[in-house]
Amino acid sequence: MGSLYRSEEMAACQLFLQAEAAYASISELGELGLVQFKDMNPDLNSFQRKFVNEVRRCEEMERKLRFLEKEIARDQIPMPDPKEIPNSPEPREMILLETTFEKLEKEMNEVNVNATTLKKNFLDLTELKHILTNAQTFFDEAVLDQSQISEDSGHLLNDADGLQGLLQTLRLGFVAGVVLRERIPTFERLLWRSCRGNVFLRQKEIDTPLEDPNTGEEVMKSVFVIFFQGEQLKAKVKKICEGFRATLYQCPETANERREMAAGIQTRIEDLNTVLSQSLDHRHRVLVSIADDMKAWHMKVRKIKAVYHVLNMFNVDVTQKYLIGECWCAERHRSRIETALRTGTERSGSSVPSILNRMETTEHPPTYNCTNKFTKVFQSIVDSYGVAGYREVNPAPFTIVTFPFLFSLMFGDSGHGVLMFMAALAMVVMETKLMQTKSDNEIWNIFFGGRYIILLMGGFSIYAGLMYNDIFSKSFNIFGSGWYPHPQRYSEHTIDHHKDLTLDPTNNSDYRGHPYPFGMDPVWQMSLNKITWLNSFKMKISIIFGVSQMFFGVILSLQNSRYFRNSVNIFCEFLPQMLFLSCIFGYLIVLILYKWIAINATMSACAPSLLIDLINMFLLNYPLEPCSSAEFYDGQKSFQSFLLLLALVCVPWLLIAKPIILKRQHSKKQVQLLNNNDEFEGRKSTEINLDGETQTSKQKDGRKDSHTGHEEEEEFSFGEAFVHQCIHTIEYCLGCISHTASYLRLWALSLAHAELSEVLWNMVFRVALKMSGYTGLIAIFILFTPWAVLTIAILLLMEGLSAFLHTLRLHWVEFQSKFYKGDGYLFDPFRFDKIIEVSADD
């Protein structure tokens, strides 16, 4: 198990770097990814640190890259991944990158401004073309409509022979423009109300959408012409048009001028379209060239920024020539770290080597469990509950076996296990190809990340299904059932014409005398008392496996106490906990095994009821009737009374012993410390020193040291220790009972899964199997699809997720609570690959 059983041995180190070699050394450590740095300047904010200017320059480069990336995404240009991850750039390369990004940003801004201007001109000419195309129609409609309005109506326009005569006679003015289509109803209503009906509006929708030069979105617009009389109405109309952001254009009054102007505009549109197309092609070529290097540039800038963030954690000596920092690293990796520091020093051209010194510290080290792609998912399950303390027993290696095993007890169906196993096996076989796709689907990433645990859960479910003899809710009679109706008791006619038959296990007529060799006898699949018998069996194995796992958890607490040389915990916690659990639930397991071995079918009428016996054990009640509650072995009453008494003794033992011993140890330390101080003061008083001043100063130093020793001595509170132990005792004693009952979920979910599978088979697929001939063949073909879909959706996904969550709870609460504190913190080394991965996800 190596470092997976206990975390790696960590070393607190002090790092001395020459200023010229600091950047190269930290970049080498970032490539290595084995060092966690500590912030030596926690009281300084980001703007007070030494390398704040370099970090700002990196943030400015990131801003420019985001701008370029946004432009590339707007043109839907793919950005390929680099063939290899670039190394951390040298500090002088940072200037080259800044110059490159500044040039590209300036060029893109110029291209965008030119393109926006061209698009704005193109939009103006296009809108003016639509106005000129529809103007003559608007003018003709105005003349026709006003010819039908009487002079007494109070309106401005009167009959005329034509538009030109009308405009000359009544001195009518007009404005033409374009407005968004959705604003037309409000625009027309406001004109009517503001001008009191003394304007004449004509509008028409533009069929083709127009592109907004600022946003690039397509918008629908309408052209309009407004007729009015007088300068006041003209000013009012223009203000209303300005409020609705309508664009106004100059439109000639005569038809000939409009035709000539339209022809000229059409020519200008064609020329402008050519220029615009060339400008966009140039912009696209520039972006394509940028896209090839975009991700590599991002990685370089992030590496530079990460290095300077780490350097900001260092202190600078008074000569400004060295950077001093502290870090955590695994003891077995120190040689690799020193090699990386030498490489960084050589890269920088410095002649002064970097120094890595191990130092003593009272700070709690981080927890570093070295994992691979297989063990990573199991370690993440444990860390989700809490990170193990430094060198504490890690539950992950045991979880590799116990997690899929307990899952299989609830999910036990070989058919469903095969489907789960094959799906996970496909992900494992094609994992390299699937990892390169980098899907954004969160659900898929969860399943793919847990492919190895799904593989084991599927494999263990196959085994559990064979033990239950349950394959898609059906059983297979591979080895021959141990039960068969005896011909002398049941003839073939009786078997064929009677639905229910009773098989007698007390003789060898119906029972052949030997059990089914492997797993459950298939006869139980067709028996009416199947659920009753399976419930009893699965409940008992749930208790056996559950209590066994709790025993194992208590034994692991012994391993922790022995490793940390805590004899108090061994005597005051492990021993009473083990005795308490053994006297009650260990004894219950023994009774279960005894009942399976010693009680046969002939004794079934008076077979002991284990639950009633356990209750009677606590009540000290041993009735003679019914016979199932009576004593079934000699000395049962005395032995159970002894176990109960021993369990009761363990409670005050667990409650009181540890606080008392800790109090005595603390008092003993206090007495020893006082004796040492008195002895020290006695030696100081008998010293003969010719220099009285020096003698006095030494005495002062001695007092100061003694006070310091008292301050560093850890304070002890008996009341606090007693309350803590009281909570621990109550939690453990009640937890043993509740946790044992909690393991019955193994039985409950197994029953639910089996019954759901059977119902789905009987209600869907069995309907087709009952049919014969071509009708049955067609029915099988039709009903197989809904049966398969429901099996995958309900039994594999929903039931699988339910069993997974229940297994998670059993490990976090019932198992890990017996030995696992989980009060540590993870070792988080400075790694470039992690920084790049997180940035890519963002």
Side-chain angles (χ1 to χ4, degrees):
M1 295 181 184
S3 64
L4 194 61
Y5 179 68
R6 293 191 189 274
S7 60
E8 292 277 0
E9 183 179 354
M10 305 301 292
C13 298
Q14 197 170 31
L15 193 58
F16 295 88
L17 302 177
Q18 191 184 19
E20 292 78 6
Y23 180 91
S25 299
I26 296 299
S27 64
E28 287 294 329
L29 294 179
E31 298 289 351
L32 190 62
L34 296 175
V35 179
Q36 175 180 333
F37 293 95
K38 294 193 290 185
D39 192 357
M40 305 295 293
N41 309 296
D43 298 331
L44 299 181
N45 58 38
S46 301
F47 303 101
Q48 296 174 324
R49 300 184 182 250
K50 179 176 177 59
F51 298 96
V52 61
N53 293 327
E54 285 77 4
V55 174
R56 286 177 176 174
R57 289 166 60 188
C58 293
E59 290 176 349
E60 179 64 16
M61 286 191 290
E62 287 183 328
R63 183 196 64 78
K64 294 174 181 178
L65 287 176
R66 287 195 299 269
F67 166 73
L68 296 174
E69 190 174 8
K70 182 179 179 181
E71 296 298 321
I72 292 172
R74 181 182 297 178
D75 280 21
Q76 298 180 352
I77 300 174
M79 291 181 290
D81 293 329
K83 295 181 180 178
E84 57 182 13
I85 298 178
N87 294 325
S88 178
E90 298 293 336
R92 58 179 175 272
E93 191 176 346
M94 185 176 177
I95 302 176
L96 179 61
L97 290 175
E98 287 179 309
T99 305
T100 303
F101 299 158
E102 181 70 26
K103 179 181 177 182
L104 291 175
E105 184 188 29
K106 183 177 180 181
E107 182 178 1
M108 284 307 305
N109 282 328
E110 292 178 354
V111 171
N112 288 341
V113 170
N114 293 335
T116 302
T117 303
L118 291 175
K119 288 181 179 180
K120 181 67 172 58
N121 294 336
F122 181 80
L123 177 64
D124 293 341
L125 292 176
T126 304
E127 291 178 348
L128 182 55
K129 184 185 74 170
H130 284 287
I131 290 175
L132 296 175
T133 302
N134 296 283
Q136 187 61 39
T137 305
F138 292 156
F139 291 147
D140 293 342
E141 290 177 354
V143 173
L144 181 61
D145 291 344
Q146 293 305 315
S147 65
Q148 300 174 0
I149 300 176
S150 62
E151 189 176 8
D152 297 335
S153 62
H155 290 93
L156 296 176
L157 298 181
N158 297 308
D159 293 337
D161 295 330
L163 176 63
Q164 187 174 1
L166 187 66
L167 296 176
Q168 291 176 358
T169 302
L170 298 179
R171 297 179 182 178
L172 291 178
F174 69 92
V175 293
V178 178
V179 70
L180 291 175
R181 184 180 297 177
E182 61 267 18
R183 296 178 181 175
I184 283 292
T186 309
F187 180 61
E188 186 174 5
R189 190 180 305 112
L190 185 60
L191 277 173
W192 177 266
R193 293 178 179 177
S194 299
C195 300
R196 299 182 179 180
N198 291 319
V199 295
F200 189 74
L201 172 67
R202 279 293 177 265
Q203 60 88 17
K204 185 177 181 181
E205 297 178 354
I206 300 176
D207 297 331
T208 58
L210 304 177
E211 181 182 356
D212 190 329
N214 296 321
T215 62
E217 298 178 355
E218 292 185 346
V219 294
M220 304 300 295
K221 293 187 176 184
S222 298
V223 299
F224 63 86
V225 175
I226 305 172
F227 299 93
F228 52 83
Q229 186 180 39
E231 292 298 325
Q232 291 183 353
L233 282 178
K234 179 179 181 181
K236 187 176 293 187
V237 168
K238 286 188 175 181
K239 285 185 178 179
I240 294 174
C241 292
E242 181 180 354
F244 280 86
R245 296 184 181 179
T247 308
L248 301 181
Y249 295 94
Q250 293 293 332
C251 181
E253 295 182 359
T254 64
N256 292 332
E257 291 177 351
R258 289 194 295 272
R259 281 193 294 269
E260 293 176 0
M261 188 175 183
I265 288 176
Q266 183 63 34
T267 303
R268 290 174 60 189
I269 288 176
E270 293 176 356
D271 296 340
L272 190 60
N273 199 14
T274 303
V275 176
L276 182 60
S277 177
Q278 294 176 353
S279 176
L280 294 178
D281 288 342
H282 171 69
R283 179 178 184 275
H284 187 78
R285 288 194 298 271
V286 172
L287 291 177
V288 168
S289 62
I290 296 174
D292 294 337
D293 301 324
M294 179 57 65
K295 291 193 174 182
W297 285 340
H298 267 299
M299 293 179 183
K300 289 182 178 180
V301 173
R302 286 165 187 154
K303 285 187 175 183
I304 297 173
K305 185 178 179 182
V307 170
Y308 283 116
H309 269 303
V310 171
L311 291 176
N312 277 332
M313 298 180 181
F314 281 62
N315 280 334
V316 184
D317 73 329
V318 293
T319 63
Q320 300 291 319
K321 292 183 179 179
Y322 288 93
L323 298 177
I324 305 172
E326 295 181 1
C327 62
W328 290 105
C329 64
E331 179 64 31
R332 66 186 181 95
H333 292 155
R334 284 183 60 190
S335 59
R336 297 176 60 185
I337 295 171
E338 292 172 350
T339 303
L341 290 175
R342 285 195 297 269
T343 304
T345 304
E346 294 172 358
R347 276 179 51 191
S348 64
S350 175
S351 59
V352 180
S354 300
I355 301 174
L356 181 69
N357 289 332
R358 179 165 186 174
M359 63 179 187
E360 298 297 329
T361 179
T362 58
E363 185 178 351
H364 197 67
T367 301
Y368 175 38
N369 293 303
C370 188
T371 59
N372 52 35
K373 61 182 181 181
F374 175 74
T375 58
K376 182 179 179 181
V377 61
F378 297 97
Q379 187 64 56
S380 64
I381 289 176
V382 174
D383 292 342
S384 298
Y385 174 80
V387 179
Y390 179 64
R391 304 294 287 171
E392 183 183 12
V393 170
N394 182 20
F398 313 109
T399 304
I400 295 175
V401 177
T402 60
F403 194 95
F405 177 72
L406 293 183
F407 173 88
S408 68
L409 293 180
M410 294 181 278
F411 195 77
D413 189 298
S414 294
H416 301 153
V418 167
L419 296 178
M420 182 179 293
F421 182 83
M422 295 304 295
L425 184 62
M427 289 190 286
V428 170
V429 172
M430 298 186 295
E431 65 179 8
T432 304
K433 182 179 179 181
L434 294 174
M435 290 175 65
Q436 294 174 353
T437 58
K438 296 181 179 180
S439 174
D440 295 332
N441 191 312
E442 185 176 357
I443 296 178
W444 162 254
N445 290 334
I446 292 175
F447 279 105
F448 181 72
R451 58 193 179 279
Y452 287 103
I453 193 172
I454 296 175
L455 184 73
L456 291 183
M457 289 191 303
F460 275 80
S461 296
I462 296 174
Y463 171 77
L466 293 176
M467 289 291 97
Y468 295 155
N469 203 348
D470 196 353
I471 305 174
F472 294 117
S473 75
K474 300 288 108 180
S475 295
F476 286 86
N477 189 7
I478 301 175
F479 304 102
S481 174
W483 299 80
Y484 192 80
H486 197 276
Q488 296 180 357
R489 297 184 60 202
Y490 301 109
S491 63
E492 294 183 2
H493 180 272
T494 304
I495 296 175
D496 294 338
H497 292 82
H498 289 77
K499 182 178 181 181
D500 299 332
L501 297 176
T502 301
L503 301 181
D504 186 6
T506 60
N507 55 63
N508 291 332
S509 60
D510 298 332
Y511 178 60
R512 297 180 178 179
H514 58 82
Y516 197 69
F518 184 82
M520 201 74 65
D521 196 305
V523 74
W524 292 106
Q525 183 66 30
M526 63 183 69
S527 63
L528 297 179
N529 59 340
K530 176 184 71 172
I531 295 180
T532 303
W533 190 87
L534 286 180
N535 280 352
S536 176
F537 172 75
K538 291 183 178 180
M539 286 176 66
K540 290 180 175 63
I541 64 171
S542 298
I543 296 297
I544 292 174
F545 289 127
V547 175
S548 299
Q549 190 178 34
M550 290 195 293
F551 268 114
F552 183 60
V554 177
I555 293 173
L556 290 179
S557 69
L558 173 64
Q559 296 297 318
N560 277 331
S561 300
R562 291 181 60 189
Y563 181 82
F564 294 111
R565 299 178 181 178
N566 193 336
S567 58
V568 175
N569 282 351
I570 296 177
F571 177 76
C572 299
E573 289 188 353
F574 169 73
L575 289 179
Q577 286 178 358
M578 181 62 74
L579 286 175
F580 183 85
L581 191 61
S582 301
C583 290
I584 299 176
F585 300 103
Y587 177 65
L588 178 61
I589 293 179
V590 173
L591 291 183
I592 292 173
L593 298 177
Y594 175 82
K595 183 176 179 180
W596 281 349
I597 297 173
I599 306 299
N600 55 35
T602 59
M603 305 165 60
S604 60
C606 291
S609 176
L610 300 183
L611 180 59
I612 300 300
D613 286 341
L614 189 64
I615 295 174
N616 290 335
M617 173 182 172
F618 283 92
L619 297 178
L620 298 177
N621 180 30
Y622 298 93
L624 299 177
E625 296 294 336
C627 60
S628 60
S629 300
E631 297 182 27
F632 55 92
Y633 67 87
D634 296 335
Q636 179 181 354
K637 180 178 179 180
S638 301
F639 183 66
Q640 290 186 168
S641 299
F642 169 74
L643 293 178
L644 182 60
L645 179 62
L646 186 57
L648 293 177
V649 169
C650 291
V651 176
W653 182 4
L654 188 62
L655 176 64
I656 301 174
K658 184 175 180 180
I660 292 177
I661 293 177
L662 291 178
K663 176 64 176 176
R664 289 183 176 179
Q665 289 180 349
H666 179 74
S667 300
K668 188 176 181 181
K669 288 181 181 178
Q670 292 292 325
V671 172
Q672 184 178 2
L673 184 61
L674 291 175
N675 292 334
N676 292 337
N677 288 337
D678 292 341
E679 182 180 355
F680 177 77
E681 291 292 340
R683 287 200 308 267
K684 296 292 287 185
S685 62
T686 57
E687 287 182 359
I688 301 175
N689 195 323
L690 297 177
D691 188 357
E693 183 179 357
T694 307
Q695 178 74 13
T696 304
S697 65
K698 288 183 178 181
Q699 290 177 354
K700 291 181 179 178
D701 291 340
R703 287 195 298 270
K704 183 177 180 181
D705 291 340
S706 65
H707 288 312
T708 304
H710 283 295
E711 290 175 357
E712 291 178 356
E713 182 70 23
E714 184 179 356
E715 295 184 0
F716 175 80
S717 173
F718 179 79
E720 183 178 350
F722 183 79
V723 170
H724 180 271
Q725 193 65 19
C726 181
I727 295 174
H728 178 69
T729 303
I730 295 173
E731 180 184 5
Y732 179 80
C733 295
L734 296 182
C736 287
I737 301 173
S738 63
H739 293 173
T740 303
S742 180
Y743 276 101
L744 291 176
R745 70 185 69 232
L746 298 174
W747 149 68
L749 267 75
S750 174
L751 174 65
H753 186 85
E755 291 302 310
L756 278 175
S757 179
E758 185 175 357
V759 167
L760 191 61
W761 177 277
N762 293 333
M763 299 295 291
V764 180
F765 202 53
R766 189 180 180 186
V767 175
L769 296 177
K770 288 182 178 180
M771 300 180 183
S772 59
Y774 290 104
T775 305
L777 184 62
I778 296 173
I780 291 175
F781 181 78
I782 295 175
L783 293 179
F784 175 79
T785 300
W787 175 77
V789 171
L790 292 174
T791 297
I792 294 174
I794 298 178
L795 297 178
L796 259 69
L797 296 180
M798 295 178 61
E799 281 288 313
L801 180 60
S802 175
F804 180 89
L805 294 177
H806 283 282
T807 309
L808 201 62
R809 184 257 158 65
L810 291 177
H811 278 78
W812 281 354
V813 180
E814 279 71 21
F815 173 53
Q816 292 180 191
S817 64
K818 299 297 182 295
F819 68 97
Y820 189 65
K821 293 183 178 180
D823 56 354
Y825 64 100
L826 279 177
F827 176 64
D828 187 18
F830 171 61
R831 294 190 295 130
F832 282 146
D833 54 352
K834 181 180 179 180
I835 296 171
I836 293 173
E837 182 180 353
V838 172
S839 301
D841 293 340
D842 294 341

